[in-house]
Amino acid sequence: QKEVEQNSGPLSVPEGAIASLNCTYSDRGSQSFFWYRQYSGKSPELIMSIYSNGDKEDGRFTAQLNKASQYVSLLIRDSQPSDSATYLCALSKGGYQKVTFGTGTKLQVIP
Amino acid sequence: SQTIHQWPATLVQPVGSPLSLECTVEGTSNPNLYWYRQAAGRGLQLLFYSVGIGQISSEVPQNLSASRPQDRQFILSSKKLLLSDSGFYLCAIGASYNEQFFGPGTRLTVL
């Protein structure tokens, strides 16, 4: 079982819709969870961090964490074509532990 | 704010040639630094990390090595490149709560 699992996609959503990206993980000791956005040919950019169960909102982005079910999700409201990218889920056990990345979900927002 | 520089941006090298990639950071002191590789269609693979000058931890045994000669300089090297070394090499800096921020990356093609 992979430490971090994501559907590779592509996930296609129309402009203005809500995009829902999901990630499951295997290590119950994981404490810190991250979502990165990576445009084609560019380096990953941190867009959300979440550390406790529940929702965390930042602008059009909402991260959701459910440690009991071992999943973390990212919702993008009012999706824009500029949101088209690959979204990487990542996690760590806290402290200065290493960060483990998923392989990413490719999102396509159709105008 | 922290800034990460990587060079070169792109590199094409023949099999068996040496490699030296450089990462320098500004705006912080004594950072945790990381080298990742992202191969085509694959996830981010942690190669090395460093918590201080001269301190290097290797995550994956291979023909690569890393050095940290100065507090804000991290170097990735190889004596003889393999075809499988092709990929997108990313330097990252660690921040609070295990957040990591990436530099612009070096795209390496080994022919």
Side-chain angles (χ1 to χ4, degrees), chain A:
Chain A
Q1 184 180 9
K2 290 183 180 179
E3 290 186 72
V4 183
E5 296 215 46
Q6 296 182 257
N7 188 318
S8 61
L11 172 67
S12 295
V13 300
E15 183 175 354
I18 296 175
S20 178
L21 304 162
N22 301 309
C23 170
T24 58
Y25 61 94
S26 58
D27 191 338
R28 287 191 174 273
S30 302
Q31 296 185 20
S32 305
F33 302 85
F34 313 99
W35 283 100
Y36 286 80
R37 177 177 61 198
Q38 186 173 22
Y39 292 113
S40 180
K42 302 296 185 181
S43 61
E45 172 192 10
L46 180 65
I47 55 173
M48 290 288 285
S49 305
I50 187 167
Y51 307 100
S52 56
N53 280 329
D55 295 359
K56 179 182 178 182
E57 186 175 319
D58 184 0
R60 295 187 296 113
F61 299 100
T62 299
Q64 300 175 319
L65 175 60
N66 184 323
K67 290 186 178 180
S69 300
Q70 295 176 252
Y71 82 79
V72 58
S73 61
L74 179 70
L75 301 178
I76 306 175
R77 291 182 300 281
D78 189 23
S79 295
Q80 300 297 309
S82 59
D83 295 325
S84 297
T86 296
Y87 289 80
L88 307 176
C89 173
L91 53 85
S92 78
K93 292 185 180 181
Y96 286 106
Q97 299 295 323
K98 70 176 184 177
V99 176
T100 302
F101 289 81
T103 54
T105 297
K106 185 173 183 178
L107 173 67
Q108 295 178 339
V109 180
I110 311 301

Side-chain angles (χ1 to χ4, degrees), chain B residues 19-97:
Chain B
L19 173 73
S20 180
L21 302 181
E22 189 166 346
C23 169
T24 58
V25 301
E26 296 177 355
T28 185
S29 60
N30 197 29
N32 287 353
L33 296 174
Y34 304 84
W35 276 114
Y36 287 89
R37 178 172 62 202
Q38 189 175 39
R42 300 183 66 180
L44 283 163
Q45 179 186 31
L46 178 62
L47 302 176
F48 301 95
Y49 68 93
S50 172
V51 299
I53 296 174
Q55 299 180 61
I56 307 294
S57 296
S58 174
E59 284 292 309
V60 183
Q62 53 205 328
N63 67 318
L64 299 172
S65 62
S67 63
R68 188 168 174 176
Q70 299 180 43
D71 182 44
R72 286 170 282 185
Q73 184 184 32
F74 203 20
I75 296 173
L76 182 70
S77 304
S78 174
K79 292 182 179 179
K80 287 187 177 182
L81 284 169
L82 306 173
L83 284 174
S84 58
D85 291 324
S86 292
F88 192 33
Y89 287 81
L90 293 155
C91 178
I93 187 169
S96 302
Y97 301 102

